[in-house]
């Protein structure tokens, strides 16, 4: 591996103009194609194997033309204080607004609240549900404008009018905070390298990789029905790993130059050693992201593969474009003071912060280990109270129209009206479909926590009915989840007595099924990802205890990160600081998403830091000395890499999209815990306690495993044997 990458780095250095032009042409080609495409992101969530999905597909089949996956808007009206909506003038205003909405080009149906009986008992609040024949992101600007204009008409007439539902959903956009995160990353790079040229290389290459990734995702959005969050996730991951991977190669190149090597030889060695670590670190991230496919939720699988593609591109860019750009920059990647040999030698004689910290950990290994584990354990405690759910309008900021509409409906009709359940009665196997539906409705009305079971609505064939059930509790509550389970339990008895198949669906039931499916998939996913990565790390480090320690450290950091997410987003601790206006259940996707992403990123630091230790140990240093050497060469760079990742992820905390905000916070805090507590404290303390045993590998296993030579031992032997390559001197290009 190291030898192959050594040659690749030298090739890219020599043919730097060709390599740079090829990447620019690729970026221009896919970027231009993406700019001219009109693809629309998908809002559909398909959950294969769940009852809610089966019922949804049954409704599509038995009620043709109903587009159950179409966008909806709930236009909520509230009378002025002292008035009621039954007043002639207010009733006339509402009728006119509903009639205008019904005439919209994409509107499937809009019913007057007085006809639909969606008026509160005191006649102060009413709502009309507007259904559209396309998804939320397929609605045109004219359709959205018409919806907003209808609300303004009501307000002009003296009514309070708010709009809920997903009709106003828009694609999340990159905001100023994300840009600030990148700027902070640039400052960290500048401080780390002390050279504007060196700081600019990782940023430039990361942006090239992300630009290509996002452009490809945009081109494939409609074909693969990708979610609107997918390009944001690819940007988030691609930026973070792209900067980090390039950072490690540039840093190693500078170290090789500092040892007096010619630029061509230095870039070859840097790509062969640090590049090998980049490849294997990237593989762990790809494994974690691609492994999301085991959950069998298409939207999650597609997001995982898209982000994995961004990581693959980041690796390729780091291995080829970085050597090419270094070839153009020459020794300008070094700060001016380090270009002077005497000043460089004087600076090298002083122990750096990484060396001092490593020696401190070696002296106090037990105390550092206990404090690190105990501290993360305390932070992880809130994770025991984790509640999962899908975000709805109740999680919106309190000043948004969607949240106001949600609160008005709760006030006028009860919280369950915001999340009705749709019970599907498949009566094709029943002798009397009408009687089967009636018996089902009666049984549903008798269940606890049911506010209302509406009369059944039959399809044209008369063999399938829909019964809308309004719970007494809010959609995201545990009481509503219990009700869904109660209905499904009752369905078994009803099937025996009526011959009809009873299924529960609707957004609320879909969310409950998603949470359950993700919960069931978490352990198999962990086993798959950790197992594959463990094998990979055994090959890289040629050790059993080092990969085991890496996996246990990851579990500690990810549980602590989950605890922090629960404390902020569910309990509300420091919510104002993070910009969380409304607490509630944690997004169902969050735990498994956090596990996948954090595992890959955590292994980055493990690979980059410990390979330097392994390299020193292989070249003759003692187990204790190798820890100090690893920190002397790697601590500064790993610290910078972690700060960059934290900055990039934290930039997404400013997003208005709750899912993006939560993922950004979770990843930022997880990297903080993993890099600075686990990898910088717990790992060296554990290795110090293990001593030589850390690098033990059973002899039979040692013979079977391939030697990928990540530390470049065989490469260095080869170079030492080749006088021509060792003595090769190439002047710095102008």
């Amino acid at each position: 591996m190291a030898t192959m990458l050594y040659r690749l780095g030298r090739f890219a250095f020599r043919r730097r103009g060709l390599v740079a032009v090829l990447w620019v042409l690729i970026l221009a080609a896919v970027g231009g194609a993406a700019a001219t495409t009109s693809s629309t992101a998908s809002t559909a969530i398909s959950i294969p194997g769940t009852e809610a999905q089966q019922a949804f597909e049954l409704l599509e089949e038995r009620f043709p033309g109903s587009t159950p996956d179409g966008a909806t808007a709930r236009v909520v009206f509230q009378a002025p204080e002292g008035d009621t909506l039954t007043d002639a003038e207010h009733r006339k205003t509402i009728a006119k607004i509903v009639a205008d909405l019904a005439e919209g080009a994409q509107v499937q149906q809009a019913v007057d609240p007085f006809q639909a009986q969606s008026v509160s008992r005191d006649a102060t609040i009413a709502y009309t549900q507007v259904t559209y024949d396309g998804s939320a992101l397929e609605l045109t600007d004219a359709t959205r404008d018409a919806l907003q204009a209808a609300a303004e008409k009501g307000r002009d007439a003296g009514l309070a009018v708010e709009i809920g539902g997903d009709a106003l959903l828009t694609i999340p956009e990159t905001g100023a905070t994300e840009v600030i995160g990148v700027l902070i990353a640039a400052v960290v790079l500048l401080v780390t390298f002390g050279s504007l040229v060196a700081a600019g290389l990782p940023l430039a290459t990361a942006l090239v990789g992300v630009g290509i990734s996002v452009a490809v995702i945009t081109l494939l959005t409609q074909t693969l029905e990708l979610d609107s969050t997918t390009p944001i996730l690819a940007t988030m991951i691609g930026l973070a790993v792209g900067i980090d991977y390039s950072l490690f190669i540039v840093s190693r190149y500078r170290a090789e130059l500092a040892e007096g090597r010619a630029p061509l030889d230095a870039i070859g060695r840097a790509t062969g050693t640090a590049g090998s670590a980049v490849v294997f670190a990237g593989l762990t991230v790809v494994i974690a992201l691609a492994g999301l496919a085991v959950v069998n939720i298409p939207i999650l699988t597609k997001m995982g593969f898209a982000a994995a593609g961004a990581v693959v591109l980041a690796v390729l860019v780091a291995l080829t474009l970085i050597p090419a750009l270094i070839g153009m920059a020459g020794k300008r990647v070094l700060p001016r003071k380090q270009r002077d040999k005497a000043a460089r030698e004087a600076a090298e004689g002083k122990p750096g912060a990484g060396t001092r910290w490593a020696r401190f950990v070696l002296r106090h290994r037990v105390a550092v280990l206990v404090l690190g584990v105990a501290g993360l354990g305390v932070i992880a405690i809130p994770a025991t109270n984790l509640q999962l759910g899908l975000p709805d309008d109740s999680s919106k900021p309190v000043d948004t129209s969607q949240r106001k509409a949600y609160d008005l409906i709760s006030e006028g009709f009860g919280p369950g009206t915001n999340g009705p359940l749709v019970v599907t009665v498949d009566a094709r196997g029943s002798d009397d479909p009408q009687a089967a539906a009636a018996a089902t409705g009666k049984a549903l009305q008798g269940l606890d926590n049911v506010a209302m079971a509406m009369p059944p609505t039959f399809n044209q064939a008369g063999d399938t009915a829909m019964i809308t059930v309004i719970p007494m509790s809010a959609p995201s509550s545990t009481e509503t989840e219990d009700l869904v389970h109660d209905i499904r339990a009752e369905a078994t008895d009803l099937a025996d007595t009526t011959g009809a198949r009873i299924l529960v669906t609707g957004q609320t039931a879909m969310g409950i099924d998603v949470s359950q499916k993700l919960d069931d998939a978490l352990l198999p996913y962990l086993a798959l990802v950790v197992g594959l990565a463990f094998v990979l790390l055994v090959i890289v480090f040629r050790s059993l205890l080092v990969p085991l320690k890496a996996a246990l450290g990851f579990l500690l950091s990810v549980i602590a990160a989950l605890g922090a997410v629960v404390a902020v987003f569910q309990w509300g601790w420091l919510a104002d600081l993070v910009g969380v206006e409304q607490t509630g259940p944690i997004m169902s996707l969050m735990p498994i998403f956090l596990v996948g992403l954090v595992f890959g990123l955590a292994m980055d630091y493990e690979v980059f830091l410990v390979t330097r230790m392994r390299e020193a140990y292989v070249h003759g240093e003692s187990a204790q000395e190798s820890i100090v050497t690893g920190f002397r060469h790697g601590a500064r760079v790993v610290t910078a890499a972690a700060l960059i990742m934290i900055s990039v992820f934290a930039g997404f905390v400013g997003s208005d999209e709750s899912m993006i905000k939560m993922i950004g916070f979770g990843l930022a805090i997880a990297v903080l815990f993993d890099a600075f507590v686990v990898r910088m404290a717990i790992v060296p303390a554990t290795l110090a306690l293990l001593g030589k045993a850390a690098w033990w590998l059973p002899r039979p296993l040692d013979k079977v495993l391939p030697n990928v030579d990540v530390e470049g031992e065989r490469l260095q032997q080869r170079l030492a044997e080749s006088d021509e390559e060792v003595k090769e001197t190439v002047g710095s290009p102008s």
Side-chain angles (χ1 to χ4, degrees):
M1 170 71 78
T3 302
M4 181 185 70
L5 293 178
Y6 170 84
R7 292 169 179 163
L8 177 63
R10 289 166 62 92
F11 171 82
F13 186 95
R14 286 197 183 107
R15 303 287 186 267
R16 45 190 172 270
L18 173 64
V19 172
V21 168
L22 283 176
W23 279 114
V24 170
L25 288 176
I26 292 172
L27 177 61
V30 296
T36 58
T37 187
S38 58
S39 59
T40 304
S42 172
T43 58
I45 298 180
S46 175
I47 318 294
T50 62
E51 180 175 314
Q53 183 66 32
Q54 293 171 11
F56 182 83
E57 292 169 356
L58 181 67
L59 290 176
E60 281 191 310
E61 176 191 339
R62 304 284 177 85
F63 290 82
S66 61
T67 60
D69 60 341
T72 61
R74 280 187 168 184
V75 182
V76 187
F77 306 93
Q78 184 181 33
E81 189 172 351
D83 288 2
T84 64
L85 296 177
T86 54
D87 293 349
E89 194 62 31
H90 295 325
R91 188 162 182 167
K92 182 179 178 182
T93 299
I94 293 172
K96 181 66 169 68
I97 291 173
V98 172
D100 290 345
L101 286 171
E103 293 175 0
Q106 294 180 285
V107 175
Q108 188 179 60
Q109 186 180 43
V111 183
D112 189 297
F114 293 96
Q115 295 178 8
Q117 298 182 345
S118 53
V119 181
S120 64
R121 291 184 179 180
D122 61 3
T124 60
I125 299 173
Y127 70 90
T128 180
Q129 180 137 324
V130 185
T131 57
Y132 296 87
D133 58 11
S135 68
L137 297 181
E138 291 172 339
L139 300 185
T140 64
D141 290 339
T143 298
R144 298 180 195 276
D145 291 343
L147 186 57
Q148 296 281 19
E152 285 302 321
K153 285 181 184 178
R155 292 169 189 146
D156 292 341
L159 300 174
V161 185
E162 305 297 345
I163 303 171
D166 63 354
L168 295 181
L169 178 69
T170 56
I171 297 176
E173 296 180 354
T174 301
T177 54
E178 288 93 326
V179 176
I180 292 173
V182 175
L183 293 177
I184 294 174
V187 172
V188 172
L189 286 169
L190 188 57
V191 172
T192 301
F193 287 137
S195 163
L196 192 61
V197 172
L201 291 180
L203 275 177
T205 53
L207 290 173
V208 168
V210 167
I212 294 172
S213 300
V214 173
V216 171
I217 289 170
T218 302
L219 288 171
L220 297 176
T221 291
Q222 194 155 356
T223 303
L224 301 181
E225 297 182 343
L226 299 178
D227 178 77
S228 60
T229 308
T230 302
I232 297 178
L233 177 66
T235 300
M236 190 187 299
I237 302 300
L239 267 179
V241 300
I243 294 173
D244 277 9
Y245 294 166
S246 300
L247 165 66
F248 285 112
I249 293 178
V250 172
S251 177
R252 186 60 183 257
Y253 171 73
R254 283 159 51 106
E256 297 293 339
L257 283 182
E259 293 181 10
R261 292 190 172 86
L264 179 61
D265 190 33
I267 194 59
R269 291 171 182 264
T271 311
T273 52
S276 296
V278 164
V279 169
F280 281 96
L283 274 175
T284 60
V285 183
V286 169
I287 287 172
L289 291 169
L292 291 169
V294 303
V295 184
N296 196 26
I297 296 179
I299 182 176
L300 197 59
T301 300
K302 293 170 185 176
M303 289 171 71
F305 277 116
V311 173
V312 171
L313 261 173
V315 171
L316 292 175
V317 167
L319 295 176
T320 56
L321 186 55
I322 276 290
L325 295 181
I326 283 176
M328 296 176 181
K331 289 190 176 181
R332 283 175 293 176
V333 297
L334 292 171
R336 290 186 180 277
K337 63 180 182 180
Q338 289 189 18
R339 298 174 199 172
D340 177 70
K341 184 177 181 182
R344 186 171 65 244
E345 289 176 349
E348 289 171 354
K350 301 177 182 178
T355 301
R356 294 194 299 271
W357 172 251
R359 290 172 179 167
F360 172 83
V361 173
L362 290 178
R363 289 195 304 269
H364 307 284
R365 61 195 73 176
V366 175
V368 169
L369 179 61
V370 171
L371 283 174
V373 173
L376 291 181
V378 169
I379 297 172
I381 290 174
T384 59
N385 190 238
L386 176 68
Q387 296 178 5
L388 299 178
L390 290 182
D392 56 22
D393 285 349
S394 66
S395 62
K396 301 283 187 184
V398 293
D399 59 346
T400 61
S401 186
Q402 292 97 321
R403 173 59 188 277
K404 290 176 181 178
Y406 181 96
D407 291 340
L408 282 174
I409 289 176
S410 296
E411 178 187 340
F413 306 93
T417 309
N418 284 295
L421 304 174
V422 179
V423 177
T424 306
V425 183
D426 179 7
R428 276 192 176 177
S430 174
D431 295 333
D432 189 345
Q434 295 283 343
T440 301
K442 183 178 180 181
L444 293 174
Q445 189 64 65
L447 293 175
D448 292 338
N449 197 35
V450 172
M452 179 188 302
M454 295 185 179
T457 302
F458 277 88
N459 64 339
Q460 191 170 1
D463 58 6
T464 306
M466 288 190 300
I467 301 176
T468 301
V469 176
I470 308 297
M472 294 179 182
S473 52
S476 58
S477 67
T478 55
E479 291 83 1
T480 301
E481 182 178 350
D482 291 340
L483 175 59
V484 171
H485 295 316
D486 290 343
I487 294 174
R488 287 172 175 169
E490 187 73 19
T492 303
D493 296 334
L494 287 169
D496 293 337
T497 58
T498 66
R501 184 169 61 128
I502 314 299
L503 303 171
V504 186
T505 189
Q507 290 300 320
T508 301
M510 190 76 78
I512 292 169
D513 285 355
V514 168
S515 298
Q516 185 62 53
K517 192 174 182 69
L518 289 168
D519 190 47
D520 293 341
L522 186 57
L523 284 180
Y525 174 69
L526 263 176
L528 173 70
V529 171
V530 175
L532 288 175
F534 179 82
V535 172
L536 188 65
L537 292 177
V538 168
I539 295 172
V540 172
F541 295 128
R542 307 197 73 76
S543 160
L544 290 179
L545 295 180
V546 170
L548 179 62
K549 172 262 310 168
L552 293 176
F554 149 72
L555 290 174
L556 189 58
S557 59
V558 79
I559 294 173
L562 266 178
V565 169
V566 170
V568 173
F569 289 86
Q570 187 175 308
W571 291 1
W573 294 3
L574 302 177
D576 292 340
L577 184 64
V578 182
V580 178
E581 296 187 29
Q582 182 62 39
T583 59
I586 303 304
M587 181 186 62
S588 299
L589 301 175
M590 191 63 190
I592 203 162
F593 220 64
L594 198 62
V595 165
L597 294 177
V598 174
F599 183 81
L601 299 176
M603 293 306 103
D604 277 3
Y605 302 118
E606 181 76 14
V607 169
F608 289 127
L609 192 59
V610 181
T611 47
R612 249 358 240 278
M613 298 179 191
R614 167 75 181 171
E615 183 177 344
Y617 182 77
V618 165
H619 293 153
E621 293 187 10
S622 69
Q624 308 295 321
E625 290 171 342
S626 67
I627 295 173
V628 177
T629 300
F631 269 79
R632 180 170 66 249
H633 291 291
R636 180 180 176 87
V637 180
V638 169
T639 299
L643 290 175
I644 288 167
M645 275 202 180
I646 292 169
S647 301
V648 171
F649 292 144
F652 288 87
V653 174
S655 173
D656 292 332
E657 181 69 27
S658 59
M659 178 178 174
I660 299 300
K661 180 188 289 286
M662 194 178 294
I663 290 175
F665 174 83
L667 290 179
I669 203 73
V671 170
L672 176 68
F673 292 156
D674 196 85
F676 293 108
V677 181
V678 174
R679 309 302 153 189
M680 290 289 193
I682 294 176
V683 164
T686 304
L687 290 176
L689 288 170
L690 291 173
K692 292 176 62 176
W695 307 108
W696 171 76
L697 185 69
R699 187 165 296 178
L701 194 58
D702 187 36
K703 292 180 179 179
V704 172
L705 291 178
N707 188 351
V708 294
D709 192 29
V710 174
E711 64 278 351
E713 181 186 14
R714 286 188 297 178
L715 170 64
Q716 296 207 25
Q717 289 175 353
R718 174 184 171 278
L719 293 177
E721 293 169 359
S722 176
D723 291 335
E724 181 180 352
E725 289 191 7
V726 171
K727 295 178 180 179
E728 180 181 15
T729 56
V730 179
S732 177
S734 59

